[in-house]
Amino acid sequence: MSKQFAEVQQDDFMKFGGERPSYLEIEDALMALGGHGVNGNNFKNEMVKLAGWTGGALTTYAQRAAVAQGAFNKIREALSKAKTADELRALLAAS
């Protein structure tokens, strides 16, 4: 993907209002790459887990901000190199 995302910071997961945090932009990109809808959401969840997210369905990113920051920044780097969903999956699996 050609879009560059700002580096994700831990406090991004606790912000309300103002500028949209880059992790939300990354989630949008993952969902688009995965096919939107249910497929896009499943793809996003798979990529976040491959990148190191350890939380369950009821765990917010804010509860484990350091882990979420690491996972999203890993995805951020991989998205700059991947052109397809399979390329992204392979990059994250190899890291």
Side-chain angles (χ1 to χ4, degrees), residues 43-57 71 75 92:
F43 177 76
K44 175 198 65 135
N45 290 338
E46 177 189 354
M47 295 305 102
V48 172
K49 289 216 181 270
L50 270 177
W53 175 244
T54 58
I75 293 168
L92 291 175

Side-chain angles (χ1 to χ4, degrees), residues 6-13 15 22-23 65 69 73:
E7 185 174 353
V8 177
Q9 304 298 321
Q10 288 185 32
D11 65 343
D12 290 346
F13 304 108
K15 288 182 181 175
S22 65
Y23 81 92
Q69 177 190 21
N73 282 325

Side-chain angles (χ1 to χ4, degrees), residues 66-81:
V67 176
Q69 177 190 21
F72 276 101
N73 282 325
K74 190 180 286 188
I75 293 168
R76 178 181 161 264
E77 291 294 320
L79 278 171
S80 69
K81 300 172 188 161

Side-chain angles (χ1 to χ4, degrees), residues 13-50:
F13 304 108
M14 296 166 232
K15 288 182 181 175
F16 293 98
E19 214 173 292
R20 194 165 190 246
S22 65
Y23 81 92
L24 293 176
E25 304 281 335
I26 293 169
E27 283 190 325
D28 289 348
L30 290 172
M31 290 185 70
L33 198 57
H36 293 290
V38 173
N39 289 338
N41 192 56
N42 289 340
F43 177 76
K44 175 198 65 135
N45 290 338
E46 177 189 354
M47 295 305 102
V48 172
K49 289 216 181 270
L50 270 177

Side-chain angles (χ1 to χ4, degrees), residues 56-89:
L58 299 177
T59 307
T60 66
Y61 295 138
Q63 288 174 301
R64 296 186 182 166
V67 176
Q69 177 190 21
F72 276 101
N73 282 325
K74 190 180 286 188
I75 293 168
R76 178 181 161 264
E77 291 294 320
L79 278 171
S80 69
K81 300 172 188 161
K83 291 183 180 21
T84 67
D86 289 335
E87 285 179 10
L88 181 62
R89 186 179 286 112

